[in-house]
């Protein structure tokens, strides 16, 4: 007689931890921890951040200021991320924070940078074996002390973390601290290589440029991090479109160079999801260059600057990957955006291609400044209405090339007459042209 047998399909923690941490770069893991703090800082304004235009309006609102500080302390033995945001209540920690994944209801909450609900856990597991979290909240916070190796060996289902409640605090004392010690060897070595901390600062500067301007201040080892300043000229093209619950604002124009002229890091396409930079200064086929609607990026295109600003109250609908370090190229909303990017970007690229000269690919900075217009921040430049890039009228050419054929014997007659037998054909042409202009036309 046949029997229905329940086959064991229980998850193995070791495999699960390996799967979620293996493919995330160390810098991206740190950014996941910062995301947690930025989310908390933005939560009070979440209702004002529903569409692309909302973000643009917030950026222009002088009453919105950075009120939350996020401090990262990083060395080869200890990592701490501490913020002064509203904290996490014990109830939220118990029911939501440590779940691997989010329910449909949670996806429609106030989080703007949490995609699948695994970022915080993945970052902790990536960095080290001992994790300590303390969060203070007006309704009572919590504390967690986790030994990952010990927890990994426990087979009890369902998976849980033991947390301890903390007493309520006043609004001025809220905040969250995450400390990771007993760092994994690869983490410790990478942090101590003399390069990593600089890379982390640079990534934070690019990734949170919008939030650094309005919601948070961030320090790394007590050194403030400024958002990367990227400016675009007021003469730019823009489009907006919406697909379902996702809105998108696309802008393309000419960058306004700061000291040192145009740089690789300030040209190309910049892609934001809910205000967080996902792709910066891209010049590849990913964003349409080289056969996907735009030409191969060349030095003459260095002044090009384009932005793509995706927004949704449900972060899972946005076209970023799970580590938020790149794009899901198969996303329907990304494919739709690329069509608009080509249309908007081609207006600027056509102008730059038309400025190519026989003498080289450099464009006089004065001409570019005139074409670009006034300096604007890339976020404030995004506009709800459709607009076109207005290519300035090119002045008529001052020079032209004269070419004609002549008998070599006649050429020699002239060079011998001038007693300059080694003159080239070009030199003879210039001499005879100047002679006619002076003696027959009367022009010097």
């Amino acid at each position: 007689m046949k029997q229905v047998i329940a086959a064991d399909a229980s998850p193995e923690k070791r495999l699960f931890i390996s799967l979620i941490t293996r493919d995330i770069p160390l810098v991206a893991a740190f950014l996941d921890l910062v995301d947690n703090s930025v989310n908390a800082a933005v939560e009070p304004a979440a209702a004002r951040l529903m569409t692309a235009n909302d973000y643009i309006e917030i950026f222009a609102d002088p009453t919105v200021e950075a009120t939350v500080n996020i401090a990262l302390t990083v060395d080869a033995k200890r990592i701490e991320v501490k913020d002064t945001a509203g904290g996490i209540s014990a109830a939220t920690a118990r029911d939501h924070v440590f779940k691997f994944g989010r329910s449909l209801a949670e996806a429609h909450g106030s989080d703007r940078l949490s995609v699948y609900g695994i970022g915080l856990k993945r970052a902790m597991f990536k960095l080290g074996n001992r994790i300590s979290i303390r969060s203070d909240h007006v309704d009572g916070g919590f504390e967690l002390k986790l030994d990952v190796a010990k927890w990994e060996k426990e087979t009890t289902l369902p998976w849980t973390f033991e947390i301890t409640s903390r007493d309520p605090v006043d609004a001025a004392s809220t905040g969250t601290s995450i400390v990771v010690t007993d760092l994994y060897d690869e983490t410790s070595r990478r942090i101590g290589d003399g390069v990593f901390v600089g890379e982390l600062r640079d990534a934070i500067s690019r990734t949170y440029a919008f939030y650094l301007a309005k919601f948070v201040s961030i320090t790394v080892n007590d050194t403030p991090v400024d958002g990367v300043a990227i400016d675009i000229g007021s003469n730019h093209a823009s489009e907006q479109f919406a697909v379902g619950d996702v809105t998108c604002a696309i802008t393309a124009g000419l960058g306004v160079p700061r000291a040192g002229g145009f740089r690789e890091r300030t040209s190309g396409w910049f892609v934001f999801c809910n205000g967080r930079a996902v792709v910066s200064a891209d010049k590849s086929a990913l964003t349409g260059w080289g056969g996907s609607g735009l030409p191969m990026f060349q030095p003459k295109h260095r002044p090009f600057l384009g932005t793509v600003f995706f927004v949704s109250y449900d972060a899972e609908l946005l076209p970023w990957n799970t580590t938020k370090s790149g794009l899901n190229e198969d996303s329907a909303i990304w494919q739709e955006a690329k069509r608009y990017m080509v249309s908007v970007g081609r207006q600027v690229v056509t102008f730059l291609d038309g400025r190519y000269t026989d003498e080289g690919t450099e464009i006089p900075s004065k001409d570019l400044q005139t074409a670009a217009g006034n300096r604007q921040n890339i976020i404030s430049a995004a506009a709800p209405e459709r607009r076109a890039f207005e290519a300035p009228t090119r002045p008529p050419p001052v020079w032209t090339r004269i070419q004609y054929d002549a008998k070599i014997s006649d050429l020699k007659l002239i060079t011998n007459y001038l007693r300059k037998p080694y003159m080239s054909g070009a030199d003879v042409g210039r001499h005879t042209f100047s002679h006619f202009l002076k003696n027959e036309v009367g022009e010097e």
Side-chain angles (χ1 to χ4, degrees):
M1 181 178 178
K2 294 182 178 180
Q3 295 181 338
V4 177
I5 302 172
D8 185 4
S10 57
E12 286 289 338
K13 291 178 180 176
R14 185 181 66 83
L15 173 62
F16 187 79
I17 292 172
S18 177
L19 287 175
I20 67 172
T21 61
R22 180 175 294 275
D23 295 329
I24 183 172
L26 191 58
V27 167
F30 274 88
L31 297 183
D32 265 337
L33 294 179
V34 176
D35 281 346
N36 186 67
S37 295
V38 173
N39 255 331
V42 173
E43 185 175 6
R48 295 181 61 187
L49 297 173
M50 304 293 283
T51 69
N53 285 337
D54 290 343
Y55 280 77
I56 297 166
E57 290 175 5
I58 284 275
F59 188 85
D61 187 345
T63 66
V64 179
E65 299 178 339
T67 57
V68 171
N69 177 253
I70 304 171
L72 284 76
T73 305
V74 183
D75 62 40
K77 293 184 178 181
R78 184 178 182 274
I79 296 166
E80 180 178 14
V81 180
K82 184 177 182 180
D83 68 55
T84 59
I88 304 168
S89 70
T92 300
R94 179 194 63 204
D95 298 333
H96 302 291
V97 171
F98 296 107
K99 289 172 62 177
F100 291 91
R102 299 187 305 167
S103 67
L104 185 60
E106 290 169 325
H108 292 75
S110 58
D111 281 355
R112 291 295 174 263
L113 302 182
S114 178
V115 184
Y116 296 106
I118 62 172
L120 174 62
K121 284 77 69 178
R122 175 170 54 193
M124 295 189 312
F125 290 148
K126 175 76 174 182
L127 300 176
N129 182 60
R130 294 188 180 274
I131 294 108
S132 174
I133 301 179
R134 186 185 70 192
S135 190
D136 288 310
H137 190 273
V138 292
D139 295 328
F142 76 96
E143 192 165 358
L144 164 74
K145 293 187 181 297
L146 178 65
D147 183 324
V148 176
K150 181 180 178 181
W151 181 81
E152 183 182 306
K153 295 175 182 177
E154 296 173 354
T155 58
T156 305
L157 293 175
W159 294 352
T160 59
F161 293 139
E162 290 186 359
I163 62 175
T164 304
S165 62
R166 291 176 61 83
D167 293 334
V169 299
D170 58 55
S173 302
T174 60
T176 300
S177 172
I178 301 174
V179 178
V180 184
T181 55
D182 191 12
L183 303 185
Y184 298 129
D185 185 60
E186 62 182 17
T187 302
S188 183
R189 288 177 179 272
R190 182 76 173 87
I191 291 173
D193 66 7
V195 177
F196 176 80
V197 173
E199 292 178 351
L200 178 60
R201 285 196 184 98
D202 182 66
I204 290 172
S205 176
R206 288 183 286 104
T207 303
Y208 304 105
F210 169 78
Y211 292 106
L212 281 164
K214 283 295 171 183
F215 288 97
V216 301
S217 60
I218 301 178
T219 61
V220 176
N221 292 346
D222 296 324
T223 301
V225 178
D226 295 321
V228 61
I230 303 174
D231 298 316
I232 192 171
S234 57
N235 178 21
H236 53 260
S238 63
E239 290 264 16
Q240 282 203 13
F241 71 95
V243 176
D245 292 324
V246 179
T247 58
C248 182
I250 299 173
T251 303
L254 300 174
V256 180
R258 293 178 180 267
F262 294 101
R263 306 271 183 166
E264 288 295 310
R265 62 177 303 190
T266 57
S267 63
W269 285 105
F270 293 76
V271 182
F272 298 82
C273 287
N274 279 357
R276 186 192 197 274
V278 180
V279 169
S280 297
D282 188 84
K283 308 168 184 65
S284 71
L286 172 67
T287 52
W289 296 100
S292 299
L294 296 173
M296 189 76 69
F297 192 93
Q298 300 178 41
K300 63 181 176 180
H301 298 137
R302 283 180 299 182
F304 178 92
L305 174 58
T307 64
V308 187
F309 212 84
F310 292 104
V311 172
S312 178
Y313 64 85
D314 182 354
E316 194 171 333
L317 299 177
L318 301 175
W320 45 14
N321 59 21
T322 62
T323 62
K324 290 171 281 189
S325 59
L327 291 163
N328 173 12
E329 297 185 55
D330 296 325
S331 164
I333 189 71
W334 173 243
Q335 294 301 320
E336 181 72 2
K338 286 182 73 172
R339 293 196 308 105
Y340 284 90
M341 290 164 65
V342 168
S343 174
V344 172
R346 189 182 289 132
Q347 299 176 46
V348 182
V349 170
T350 299
F351 164 71
L352 293 173
D353 285 343
R355 303 295 295 179
Y356 189 93
T357 66
D358 292 335
E359 287 73 27
T361 61
E362 293 296 329
I363 302 171
S365 59
K366 183 178 180 181
D367 291 352
L368 277 177
Q369 290 173 2
T370 300
N374 297 325
R375 185 188 301 270
Q376 285 187 275
N377 182 275
I378 56 174
I379 299 171
S380 62
E385 72 278 1
R386 180 180 183 182
R387 58 182 293 176
F389 176 80
E390 299 178 3
T393 303
R394 294 186 64 182
V398 177
W399 296 85
T400 189
R401 182 175 295 276
I402 300 174
Q403 291 179 306
Y404 56 88
D405 296 327
K407 288 184 178 180
I408 295 176
S409 58
D410 290 341
L411 183 66
K412 288 183 176 180
L413 288 174
I414 295 174
T415 57
N416 290 335
Y417 177 83
L418 296 173
R419 297 180 180 179
K420 296 181 179 180
Y422 299 107
M423 286 181 71
S424 67
D427 289 337
V428 170
R430 280 189 289 269
H431 180 87
T432 55
F433 183 86
S434 297
H435 178 81
F436 186 89
L437 188 64
K438 178 180 180 180
N439 295 287
E440 299 296 332
V441 180
E443 293 288 336
E444 292 294 335

